[in-house]
mmCIF file of all heavy atoms in Angstrom:
data_model
loop_
_atom_site.group_PDB
_atom_site.id
_atom_site.type_symbol
_atom_site.label_atom_id
_atom_site.label_comp_id
_atom_site.label_asym_id
_atom_site.label_seq_id
_atom_site.Cartn_x
_atom_site.Cartn_y
_atom_site.Cartn_z
ATOM 1 N N THR A 270 3.021 -8.603 6.974
ATOM 2 C CA THR A 270 1.689 -8.016 6.770
ATOM 3 C C THR A 270 1.580 -7.333 5.418
ATOM 4 O O THR A 270 0.607 -7.522 4.690
ATOM 5 C CB THR A 270 1.389 -6.999 7.891
ATOM 6 O OG1 THR A 270 1.669 -7.584 9.155
ATOM 7 C CG2 THR A 270 -0.074 -6.567 7.847
ATOM 8 N N PHE A 271 2.577 -6.519 5.078
ATOM 9 C CA PHE A 271 2.574 -5.801 3.804
ATOM 10 C C PHE A 271 3.859 -6.142 3.053
ATOM 11 O O PHE A 271 4.948 -5.818 3.508
ATOM 12 C CB PHE A 271 2.477 -4.285 4.032
ATOM 13 C CG PHE A 271 1.197 -3.858 4.683
ATOM 14 C CD1 PHE A 271 1.154 -3.586 6.044
ATOM 15 C CD2 PHE A 271 0.034 -3.742 3.947
ATOM 16 C CE1 PHE A 271 -0.024 -3.194 6.663
ATOM 17 C CE2 PHE A 271 -1.155 -3.358 4.556
ATOM 18 C CZ PHE A 271 -1.185 -3.084 5.903
ATOM 19 N N GLN A 272 3.710 -6.814 1.908
ATOM 20 C CA GLN A 272 4.863 -7.229 1.123
ATOM 21 C C GLN A 272 5.512 -6.012 0.469
ATOM 22 O O GLN A 272 4.879 -5.275 -0.286
ATOM 23 C CB GLN A 272 4.428 -8.226 0.038
ATOM 24 C CG GLN A 272 3.848 -9.522 0.583
ATOM 25 C CD GLN A 272 4.930 -10.473 1.075
ATOM 26 O OE1 GLN A 272 6.103 -10.293 0.803
ATOM 27 N NE2 GLN A 272 4.530 -11.506 1.808
ATOM 28 N N ARG A 273 6.778 -5.805 0.777
ATOM 29 C CA ARG A 273 7.561 -4.714 0.190
ATOM 30 C C ARG A 273 8.939 -5.273 -0.147
ATOM 31 O O ARG A 273 9.875 -5.175 0.627
ATOM 32 C CB ARG A 273 7.682 -3.537 1.171
ATOM 33 C CG ARG A 273 6.383 -2.784 1.352
ATOM 34 C CD ARG A 273 6.073 -1.965 0.092
ATOM 35 N NE ARG A 273 4.748 -1.364 0.151
ATOM 36 C CZ ARG A 273 3.663 -1.885 -0.367
ATOM 37 N NH1 ARG A 273 3.734 -3.070 -0.948
ATOM 38 N NH2 ARG A 273 2.517 -1.266 -0.312
ATOM 39 N N ALA A 274 9.060 -5.883 -1.321
ATOM 40 C CA ALA A 274 10.281 -6.598 -1.673
ATOM 41 C C ALA A 274 11.485 -5.680 -1.773
ATOM 42 O O ALA A 274 12.610 -6.073 -1.452
ATOM 43 C CB ALA A 274 10.075 -7.338 -2.998
ATOM 44 N N ASP A 275 11.297 -4.443 -2.197
ATOM 45 C CA ASP A 275 12.412 -3.555 -2.485
ATOM 46 C C ASP A 275 12.668 -2.547 -1.370
ATOM 47 O O ASP A 275 13.804 -2.312 -0.970
ATOM 48 C CB ASP A 275 12.141 -2.802 -3.792
ATOM 49 C CG ASP A 275 13.374 -2.081 -4.303
ATOM 50 O OD1 ASP A 275 14.467 -2.516 -3.971
ATOM 51 O OD2 ASP A 275 13.226 -1.070 -5.013
ATOM 52 N N MET A 276 11.601 -1.927 -0.830
ATOM 53 C CA MET A 276 11.784 -0.889 0.178
ATOM 54 C C MET A 276 10.468 -0.606 0.879
ATOM 55 O O MET A 276 9.394 -0.978 0.398
ATOM 56 C CB MET A 276 12.293 0.407 -0.473
ATOM 57 C CG MET A 276 11.223 1.118 -1.306
ATOM 58 S SD MET A 276 11.814 2.621 -2.070
ATOM 59 C CE MET A 276 12.797 1.920 -3.388
ATOM 60 N N LYS A 277 10.568 0.072 2.005
ATOM 61 C CA LYS A 277 9.401 0.581 2.703
ATOM 62 C C LYS A 277 9.674 2.045 3.052
ATOM 63 O O LYS A 277 10.722 2.369 3.608
ATOM 64 C CB LYS A 277 9.110 -0.229 3.968
ATOM 65 C CG LYS A 277 8.005 0.367 4.840
ATOM 66 C CD LYS A 277 6.699 0.560 4.102
ATOM 67 C CE LYS A 277 5.671 1.277 4.949
ATOM 68 N NZ LYS A 277 4.463 1.624 4.188
ATOM 69 N N VAL A 278 8.714 2.920 2.721
ATOM 70 C CA VAL A 278 8.871 4.359 2.903
ATOM 71 C C VAL A 278 7.923 4.839 3.997
ATOM 72 O O VAL A 278 6.743 4.486 3.998
ATOM 73 C CB VAL A 278 8.587 5.111 1.586
ATOM 74 C CG1 VAL A 278 8.738 6.614 1.780
ATOM 75 C CG2 VAL A 278 9.509 4.616 0.481
ATOM 76 N N PHE A 279 8.450 5.628 4.924
ATOM 77 C CA PHE A 279 7.646 6.271 5.961
ATOM 78 C C PHE A 279 7.909 7.775 5.940
ATOM 79 O O PHE A 279 9.014 8.223 5.586
ATOM 80 C CB PHE A 279 8.004 5.753 7.355
ATOM 81 C CG PHE A 279 7.633 4.322 7.635
ATOM 82 C CD1 PHE A 279 8.594 3.334 7.672
ATOM 83 C CD2 PHE A 279 6.308 3.983 7.867
ATOM 84 C CE1 PHE A 279 8.251 2.024 7.946
ATOM 85 C CE2 PHE A 279 5.958 2.669 8.135
ATOM 86 C CZ PHE A 279 6.927 1.689 8.178
ATOM 87 N N ASP A 280 6.908 8.543 6.350
ATOM 88 C CA ASP A 280 7.060 9.974 6.561
ATOM 89 C C ASP A 280 6.757 10.291 8.029
ATOM 90 O O ASP A 280 6.033 9.548 8.696
ATOM 91 C CB ASP A 280 6.120 10.785 5.664
ATOM 92 C CG ASP A 280 6.504 10.703 4.195
ATOM 93 O OD1 ASP A 280 7.705 10.550 3.915
ATOM 94 O OD2 ASP A 280 5.614 10.778 3.323
ATOM 95 N N PHE A 281 7.303 11.392 8.512
ATOM 96 C CA PHE A 281 6.932 11.860 9.848
ATOM 97 C C PHE A 281 7.123 13.365 9.912
ATOM 98 O O PHE A 281 7.892 13.954 9.143
ATOM 99 C CB PHE A 281 7.746 11.153 10.938
ATOM 100 C CG PHE A 281 9.195 11.547 10.987
ATOM 101 C CD1 PHE A 281 9.643 12.599 11.788
ATOM 102 C CD2 PHE A 281 10.124 10.858 10.230
ATOM 103 C CE1 PHE A 281 10.974 12.953 11.835
ATOM 104 C CE2 PHE A 281 11.471 11.210 10.270
ATOM 105 C CZ PHE A 281 11.891 12.259 11.072
ATOM 106 N N ASP A 282 6.385 13.999 10.818
ATOM 107 C CA ASP A 282 6.483 15.444 11.023
ATOM 108 C C ASP A 282 7.520 15.725 12.106
ATOM 109 O O ASP A 282 7.461 15.162 13.199
ATOM 110 C CB ASP A 282 5.118 16.015 11.441
ATOM 111 C CG ASP A 282 4.078 15.876 10.332
ATOM 112 O OD1 ASP A 282 4.432 16.145 9.173
ATOM 113 O OD2 ASP A 282 2.943 15.482 10.627
ATOM 114 N N TYR A 283 8.454 16.597 11.786
ATOM 115 C CA TYR A 283 9.504 16.952 12.739
ATOM 116 C C TYR A 283 9.243 18.368 13.236
ATOM 117 O O TYR A 283 9.456 19.350 12.523
ATOM 118 C CB TYR A 283 10.874 16.844 12.079
ATOM 119 C CG TYR A 283 12.013 17.369 12.926
ATOM 120 C CD1 TYR A 283 12.236 16.876 14.205
ATOM 121 C CD2 TYR A 283 12.862 18.353 12.441
ATOM 122 C CE1 TYR A 283 13.274 17.344 14.983
ATOM 123 C CE2 TYR A 283 13.908 18.835 13.209
ATOM 124 C CZ TYR A 283 14.113 18.330 14.483
ATOM 125 O OH TYR A 283 15.142 18.801 15.250
ATOM 126 N N VAL A 284 8.752 18.463 14.454
ATOM 127 C CA VAL A 284 8.460 19.755 15.081
ATOM 128 C C VAL A 284 9.113 19.775 16.453
ATOM 129 O O VAL A 284 8.861 18.896 17.281
ATOM 130 C CB VAL A 284 6.937 19.989 15.212
ATOM 131 C CG1 VAL A 284 6.668 21.337 15.856
ATOM 132 C CG2 VAL A 284 6.259 19.920 13.851
ATOM 133 N N SER A 285 9.969 20.755 16.697
ATOM 134 C CA SER A 285 10.633 20.876 17.992
ATOM 135 C C SER A 285 10.986 22.338 18.216
ATOM 136 O O SER A 285 11.436 23.034 17.301
ATOM 137 C CB SER A 285 11.899 20.012 18.036
ATOM 138 O OG SER A 285 12.559 20.160 19.271
ATOM 139 N N ALA A 286 10.771 22.801 19.451
ATOM 140 C CA ALA A 286 11.072 24.206 19.769
ATOM 141 C C ALA A 286 12.571 24.454 19.813
ATOM 142 O O ALA A 286 13.020 25.583 19.589
ATOM 143 C CB ALA A 286 10.432 24.574 21.102
ATOM 144 N N THR A 287 13.363 23.430 20.112
ATOM 145 C CA THR A 287 14.818 23.569 20.177
ATOM 146 C C THR A 287 15.458 22.530 19.268
ATOM 147 O O THR A 287 14.768 21.734 18.614
ATOM 148 C CB THR A 287 15.307 23.363 21.622
ATOM 149 O OG1 THR A 287 14.955 22.028 22.046
ATOM 150 C CG2 THR A 287 14.638 24.368 22.562
#
Side-chain angles (χ1 to χ4, degrees):
T270 311
F271 296 100
Q272 297 282 347
R273 289 288 172 265
D275 192 25
M276 72 180 75
K277 173 56 186 173
V278 179
F279 292 106
D280 291 330
F281 70 91
D282 295 317
Y283 172 56
V284 180
S285 178
T287 61

